């Protein structure tokens, strides 16, 4: 029994020393000794741990045994989503489908009597303007939003989402107005208006482009429009584009609310696909956007529903 306990203690010590991807520095350790014990080189340990002085390590210090997971590594996960968004005919088809259906609904509403002027409310990013080159541009870099976002918006290089330009001009020609409610900041309002106007979008002006001032909650801006207009449709790529009830909710709560509001989708609400980013991602992180890239990757994978064949 005593012998068993000794063996167990030795194994426990080893497991603590080599806990996952880390090594805990012990008394008498040197970097060269640790390198020999772990099968790594001193140079690899220095690089993995950003050590300024290889001769200075402290008892209890945790050393990485694998390369650090960086934002660049996390950005690699964007490849398939961005590739699909930019290249898949299916992505274009979904956008056309959304706006074709929006036109059908708008025409149906035109048959109804209304004392108020009609309005359609749309989000901007990934609803009427395609910013995927910005997101794709972060791949193979250590950059992430908001780095470069203002510069991208100021460059006014976003292009129309398929079907958006035609539908919104149809609304303008048929007794309606368009309001663009976006969480781009007020400082980007001028550039956003110019981008929309250059592409031929109607109502690209100060009155109709409502940017974010103090809150990302779009409900107050939607209510401003509702005071003087009959809101026929809301179109967006994020659940928060339709109702504030989705704000700061967990993944399961968001899904339950979608189910409860199932009669709204395709009748009052039109949603476009966006697999690149959104509040759905924030819900996965429990809105802790400050997680490290490594933590975000871990949480993403933990939230996958997986099946694997039996070995």
């Amino acid at each position: 029994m005593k012998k068993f306990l000794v063996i167990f203690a030795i194994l426990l010590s080893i497991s603590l020393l080599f806990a996952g991807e880390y090594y805990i520095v012990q008394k008498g350790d040197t970097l060269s000794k640790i390198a020999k014990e772990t099968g790594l080189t001193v140079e690899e340990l220095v690089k993995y741990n950003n050590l300024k002085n290889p001769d200075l390590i402290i008892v209890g210090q945790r050393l990485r045994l694998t390369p650090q997971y960086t934002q660049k590594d996390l950005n690699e996960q964007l490849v398939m989503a961005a590739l699909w968004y930019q290249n898949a005919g299916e992505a274009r088809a979904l956008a056309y489908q959304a706006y074709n259906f929006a036109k059908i609904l708008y025409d149906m509403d035109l048959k109804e009597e209304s004392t108020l002027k009609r309005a359609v409310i749309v989000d901007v990013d990934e609803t009427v303007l395609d910013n995927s080159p910005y997101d794709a541009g972060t791949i193979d870099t250590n950059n992430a939003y908001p780095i470069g976002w203002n510069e991208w918006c100021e460059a006014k290089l976003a292009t129309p989402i398929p079907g958006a330009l035609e539908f919104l001009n149809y609304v303008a020609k048929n007794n309606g107005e368009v309001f663009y409610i976006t969480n781009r900041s007020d400082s980007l309002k001028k550039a956003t208006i110019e981008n929309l106007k250059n592409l031929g979008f109607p109502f690209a002006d100060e009155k109709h482009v409502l940017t974010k001032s103090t809150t990302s909650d779009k409900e107050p801006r939607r209510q401003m429009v509702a005071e003087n207009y009959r809101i026929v449709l809301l179109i967006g790529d994020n659940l928060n584009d339709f109702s504030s009830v989705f704000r700061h909710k967990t993944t399961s709560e968001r899904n339950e609310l979608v189910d409860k509001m199932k009669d709204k989708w395709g009748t009052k609400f039109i949603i476009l696909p966006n697999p690149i980013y959104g509040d759905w991602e924030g819900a996965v992180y429990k809105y802790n956007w400050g997680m490290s890239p490594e933590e975000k990757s871990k949480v993403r994978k933990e939230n996958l529903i997986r099946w694997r064949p039996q070995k």
Side-chain angles (χ1 to χ4, degrees):
M1 181 67 178
K2 187 175 181 180
K3 184 177 179 182
F4 172 78
L5 291 173
V6 171
I7 293 172
F8 178 78
I10 292 171
L11 291 175
L12 180 61
S13 298
I14 293 172
S15 67
L16 288 172
L17 285 174
F18 300 96
E21 299 176 347
Y22 298 94
Y23 177 93
I24 310 301
V25 177
Q26 303 295 301
K27 186 176 180 180
D29 276 343
T30 64
L31 213 57
S32 58
K33 180 183 175 185
I34 295 170
K36 185 177 180 180
E37 291 178 359
T38 59
L40 299 174
T41 65
V42 170
E43 290 74 18
E44 285 173 327
L45 287 171
V46 169
K47 181 180 178 182
Y48 297 167
N49 294 280
N50 297 316
L51 297 177
K52 306 285 188 203
N53 184 353
D55 296 321
L56 181 60
I57 54 174
I58 304 167
V59 173
Q61 182 177 353
R62 191 171 69 158
L63 296 178
R64 293 189 65 95
L65 302 179
T66 59
Q68 186 173 358
Y69 195 88
T70 65
Q71 183 64 45
K72 182 178 179 180
D73 296 318
L74 188 68
N75 288 348
E76 191 67 17
Q77 296 183 20
L78 283 174
V79 171
M80 287 300 287
L83 189 67
W84 180 86
Y85 197 83
Q86 294 182 341
N87 292 274
E90 291 84 350
R92 297 181 68 80
L94 284 168
Y96 282 126
Q97 177 177 268
Y99 282 110
N100 286 342
F101 200 59
K103 181 177 179 296
I104 292 170
L105 294 172
Y106 189 78
D107 284 341
M108 289 172 60
D109 194 79
L110 285 174
K111 296 175 183 177
E112 302 290 329
E113 297 248 346
S114 177
T115 57
L116 295 174
K117 191 170 181 65
R118 288 174 171 81
V120 170
I121 293 177
V122 294
D123 173 49
V124 172
D125 299 314
E126 280 52 72
T127 297
V128 299
L129 292 183
D130 178 359
N131 302 283
S132 62
Y134 165 77
D135 299 289
T138 66
I139 296 170
D140 293 331
T141 77
N142 271 310
N143 295 335
Y145 177 86
I147 296 172
W149 173 247
N150 286 0
E151 290 88 338
W152 163 258
C153 294
E154 293 288 353
K156 296 164 279 198
L157 294 174
T159 55
I161 295 293
L165 189 60
E166 296 85 348
F167 171 67
L168 297 182
N169 275 309
Y170 181 82
V171 170
K173 292 174 184 176
N174 288 273
N175 305 313
E177 293 185 25
V178 179
F179 286 86
Y180 305 87
I181 299 183
T182 172
N183 276 338
R184 290 188 177 195
S185 65
D186 282 344
S187 63
L188 294 172
K189 185 167 188 171
K190 183 175 181 290
T192 303
I193 290 173
E194 290 178 2
N195 197 166
L196 291 166
K197 190 177 291 186
N198 292 344
L199 294 171
F201 280 98
F203 300 102
D205 55 42
E206 289 278 339
K207 175 185 175 183
H208 293 85
V209 177
L210 306 179
T211 46
K212 180 180 71 174
S213 296
T214 57
T215 176
S216 60
D217 186 357
K218 294 184 174 182
E219 191 59 34
R221 284 170 279 170
R222 286 191 288 261
Q223 291 302 321
M224 282 174 52
V225 178
E227 287 176 5
N228 299 300
Y229 292 85
R230 173 188 175 94
I231 300 175
V232 180
L233 291 169
L234 292 98
I235 306 176
D237 67 301
N238 189 320
L239 294 179
N240 295 341
D241 295 331
F242 305 96
S243 173
S244 290
V245 299
F246 295 105
R247 282 170 55 80
H248 310 307
K249 295 295 194 299
T250 66
T251 296
S252 59
E253 288 171 335
R254 294 173 96 246
N255 289 330
E256 288 169 8
L257 285 165
V258 167
D259 292 343
K260 286 180 181 179
M261 301 168 71
K262 62 184 179 182
D263 293 339
K264 293 278 191 181
W265 308 107
T267 57
K268 180 81 171 181
F269 302 159
I270 302 289
I271 193 160
L272 285 98
N274 180 0
I276 300 176
Y277 69 89
D279 282 291
W280 59 268
E281 182 186 356
V284 169
Y285 305 148
K286 294 182 171 57
Y287 300 98
N288 180 12
W289 290 99
M291 283 183 174
S292 70
E294 189 170 15
E295 289 169 331
K296 285 180 179 177
S297 180
K298 183 174 182 289
V299 171
R300 288 179 184 184
K301 291 174 182 177
E302 287 174 347
N303 278 271
L304 292 173
I305 299 170
R306 306 189 192 208
W307 176 88
R308 290 188 173 121
Q310 298 296 317
K311 294 183 179 179

